[in-house]
Amino acid sequence: MPIVRATRRFHFAAAHRLFRPDWSDERNREVFGACTNPNWHGHNYEVDVTVEGPVDPETGYVMDLKRLRDILDARVVRDVDHRNLNVEVDWMEGMNPTTENLAVAIWNRIAGGLPEGTRLAKVVVHETPRNSVEYTGQV
Amino acid sequence: MPIVRATRRFHFAAAHRLFRPDWSDERNREVFGACTNPNWHGHNYEVDVTVEGPVDPETGYVMDLKRLRDILDARVVRDVDHRNLNVEVDWMEGMNPTTENLAVAIWNRIAGGLPEGTRLAKVVVHETPRNSVEYTGQV
Amino acid sequence: MPIVRATRRFHFAAAHRLFRPDWSDERNREVFGACTNPNWHGHNYEVDVTVEGPVDPETGYVMDLKRLRDILDARVVRDVDHRNLNVEVDWMEGMNPTTENLAVAIWNRIAGGLPEGTRLAKVVVHETPRNSVEYTGQV
Amino acid sequence: MPIVRATRRFHFAAAHRLFRPDWSDERNREVFGACTNPNWHGHNYEVDVTVEGPVDPETGYVMDLKRLRDILDARVVRDVDHRNLNVEVDWMEGMNPTTENLAVAIWNRIAGGLPEGTRLAKVVVHETPRNSVEYTGQV
Amino acid sequence: MPIVRATRRFHFAAAHRLFRPDWSDERNREVFGACTNPNWHGHNYEVDVTVEGPVDPETGYVMDLKRLRDILDARVVRDVDHRNLNVEVDWMEGMNPTTENLAVAIWNRIAGGLPEGTRLAKVVVHETPRNSVEYTGQV
Amino acid sequence: MPIVRATRRFHFAAAHRLFRPDWSDERNREVFGACTNPNWHGHNYEVDVTVEGPVDPETGYVMDLKRLRDILDARVVRDVDHRNLNVEVDWMEGMNPTTENLAVAIWNRIAGGLPEGTRLAKVVVHETPRNSVEYTGQV
């Protein structure tokens, strides 16, 4: 049975700022530059979620991507779309919302809920058309 | 002499919310939905600015697009990139920052400063890959 | 009041073939080539619908693009997505489903149902990344 | 000698439906939803084929991508472009044409015919801008 | 009969430099900057050619886009792909190959050879993802 | 600590030809076809550079992508943008500028200068929207 990776892309729009509350404003500005603007800024985030597993000989699917879409809507999009990543998202509380931390947090939201026999293989978050981050669960 | 249109694309990331301070929160929510979230959200804006004019027989340019880029940097990008469109941009003060109002405001920032013999022909603002607005100066 | 154009993009996947039932198979093949394959082929269609009107001084909108999305879902997407354009779409009955005819048919589905004060300005249908068609209501 | 991966993108337009002839229509509908529409639907498929090998010190190529293009044309595009994946493609006979099965089938069409010293590393099939599948030959 | 615009996209890769032989090197450098580098530079040009006309009631086409593709191949791509725009293209001889001049030259290559009843409506040349030029035949 | 990959995209425009000075013109033409045109051709190159490392618990970054951008500007873009890859780039001297050799050369320019604790993971060079090459340092 071939092992295949299936990817679903989704997007959301959110506000954020890079900021550590335990640092002075000067240090935040020094390290994060314009990204720490106290009045926030925001992005259209594009996210690619990849699931790996054997192709089910019955359906020809690794998993139904409509089901993956529903998981992503329920576990991620609903919480972050048109939201502020610093102050409104339970599962990012206490985190500085860099693209890196966001990718890991999305991974942690999804990894446990996939169909038996599949595994989460990769989460890619594009913050802008130029900057992106990829997490594969490696620690 | 052929009359040609030359377009320069630029982008910026900003926070905003759709909001009228003279309306109740309920009415803002009713009309603007998730877009009025008081904690803001944001976008990667892509903007296409088009200048029209005769092709200069000396240079072969309508205008030097590097000069147009400098005008856009100085008059637009510097003010809006990594900013909050509701509270930090002088030339949007008192405006609800819809894509329509943003396109008109960008038009007004640029229209007066172009080289003699050219005219601003079009401003297109893409708020998301799905939603965009075009203004050609028509009133 | 500025007159602005607002565009919403949507997409759908459909099967079709270029075919005139009143022509012989030979003539269909001669004129339409591989596009008349009797076993069908299909596309991911991308459609841009543009509405023009004054910016409402109350909302800052030409029209709410979420409302436009709902109109497009109800009047177009529901009927064509994962469908066969030759045999399953009432409002294309008797038409050869070229990109041209599809653009005009989508125009006719939408033009009458827009909010007062706005008008349908343009329908662009991308059949492939290389081929597209634009209709502005001109006859 | 550096080991490098070279990728060629190609595309085709085809009709298909997800369908198992040994299942009832009800079960096909239950599992595959709109994708099993008996009147077919279709897509613009985008495919990325990646070949890996040492950079030839003579040419500076892993392999000539024009030669890869010719292989892809002869072994894949010619058979699937403007075709119906369920009923017209020999090498997909008896398969449910999911994106997963299509990626594996394309792999099998190509893997054996590459120049000595190179190996097929990856086949990615984009069924829509949102859904894609990747196969690397793993079983 | 609806009047529709049909667009075909094509691309080519070419070298060029912005340069006037009747100017000193200093003046060329002053006006054209890095674009006048005597050792050349180059681009992947993307070109959209738009033809306008009534939809033929027989075929449902403005014109067959495969025929337009063949015209573009024969009249443009063959001459410019993998070429140097300053020294190898007859129909650009004596022209400074700015994007503006290139768009007008492509227009002039095509405008006369379209099917009766159609007219060339627009040529758009994208020199980079950020810079483009549009010509509609206006003088 | 999660290990994450962060990617920065940049682009440049350059001229080149595929060519071995120790081969006859006939042999160059035979092997490289139109790509060896003695008058050059060129491309808009898009390059993705990926750095891997643990997420810094202080900043939430693998590394600051603005710092990566500065490294790429200083070590790559400054040398190749609006240049001729065959004759003007020190660090490609004596190389046939195929996409493969270019990817390896860019790798070698960057690999040594990254922050401690990170490593260069991947360089992808897109020569055209259809052809790309990926190097991960494997020999």
Side-chain angles (χ1 to χ4, degrees), chain F residues 13-87:
Chain F
H16 81 150
R17 65 180 292 208
L18 301 188
F19 175 66
R20 287 191 60 128
D22 58 330
W23 284 1
S24 67
D25 288 354
E26 287 72 16
R27 189 154 180 215
N28 273 297
R29 173 66 60 173
E30 200 181 286
V31 175
F32 299 122
C35 300
T36 198
N37 176 11
N39 290 309
W40 320 97
H41 66 284
H43 300 287
N44 303 326
Y45 291 92
E46 301 273 342
V47 186
D48 294 309
V49 171
T50 300
V51 175
E52 182 181 286
V55 178
D56 181 326
E58 279 236 307
T59 59
Y61 284 154
V62 170
M63 75 175 280
D64 186 344
L65 287 181
K66 287 189 296 297
R67 187 170 161 198
L68 179 56
R69 179 201 60 198
D70 291 344
I71 293 171
L72 297 171
D73 278 350
R75 300 283 297 167
V76 181
V77 179
R78 172 174 316 191
D79 294 338
V80 293
D81 192 28
H82 285 75
R83 295 288 174 186
N84 184 311
L85 301 181
N86 296 68
V87 302

Side-chain angles (χ1 to χ4, degrees), chain B residues 18 20 23 27 31-33 35 96 98-101 104 128-139, chain C residues 1-11 48 50 52 55 57-66 122:
Chain B
L18 302 189
R20 288 191 59 127
W23 284 1
R27 190 157 178 212
V31 173
F32 299 122
C35 299
N96 187 13
T98 60
T99 323
E100 285 88 338
N101 282 339
V104 173
T128 71
R130 296 248 178 133
N131 291 348
S132 64
V133 151
E134 172 188 315
Y135 185 53
T136 58
Q138 197 186 345
V139 284
Chain C
M1 259 181 327
I3 308 298
V4 166
R5 295 173 158 219
T7 296
R8 175 82 189 169
R9 167 164 285 207
F10 66 95
H11 58 257
D48 294 310
T50 300
E52 182 180 286
V55 178
E58 279 237 307
T59 59
Y61 284 154
V62 169
M63 75 175 281
D64 185 345
L65 287 181
K66 289 190 294 298
K122 189 161 62 176

Side-chain angles (χ1 to χ4, degrees), chain B residues 19-87:
Chain B
F19 175 66
R20 288 191 59 127
D22 58 329
W23 284 1
S24 67
D25 288 356
E26 287 72 16
R27 190 157 178 212
N28 273 297
R29 173 66 60 174
E30 200 180 286
V31 173
F32 299 122
C35 299
T36 199
N37 176 10
N39 291 310
W40 319 97
H41 65 285
H43 300 288
N44 302 326
Y45 291 92
E46 301 274 343
V47 186
D48 294 310
V49 171
T50 300
V51 174
E52 182 180 287
V55 178
D56 181 327
E58 280 235 307
T59 59
Y61 283 154
V62 169
M63 75 175 280
D64 186 344
L65 287 181
K66 288 190 294 300
R67 187 170 162 198
L68 179 55
R69 180 201 59 198
D70 292 343
I71 293 171
L72 297 171
D73 279 349
R75 301 284 297 165
V76 181
V77 179
R78 172 173 315 191
D79 294 338
V80 293
D81 192 28
H82 285 75
R83 296 288 174 186
N84 184 311
L85 301 181
N86 296 68
V87 301

Side-chain angles (χ1 to χ4, degrees), chain E residues 10-94:
Chain E
F10 66 94
H11 58 259
F12 62 90
H16 81 151
R17 66 180 292 210
L18 302 188
F19 175 67
R20 288 190 60 127
D22 58 330
W23 284 1
S24 67
D25 288 355
E26 287 73 16
R27 188 154 180 214
N28 274 296
R29 172 67 58 175
E30 199 180 289
V31 173
F32 299 123
C35 299
T36 199
N37 175 11
N39 291 309
W40 319 97
H41 66 285
H43 299 287
N44 302 326
Y45 290 91
E46 302 273 343
V47 186
D48 295 309
V49 171
T50 301
V51 174
E52 183 180 285
V55 179
D56 181 326
E58 279 236 307
T59 59
Y61 283 154
V62 169
M63 75 175 280
D64 186 345
L65 287 182
K66 289 190 295 298
R67 186 170 162 199
L68 179 56
R69 180 200 59 198
D70 292 342
I71 293 172
L72 297 172
D73 279 349
R75 301 283 298 166
V76 181
V77 179
R78 171 174 316 190
D79 295 338
V80 294
D81 193 27
H82 285 74
R83 295 287 174 186
N84 184 312
L85 301 181
N86 296 68
V87 301
E88 293 186 295
V89 183
D90 288 357
W91 41 273
M92 295 200 68
E93 213 179 308

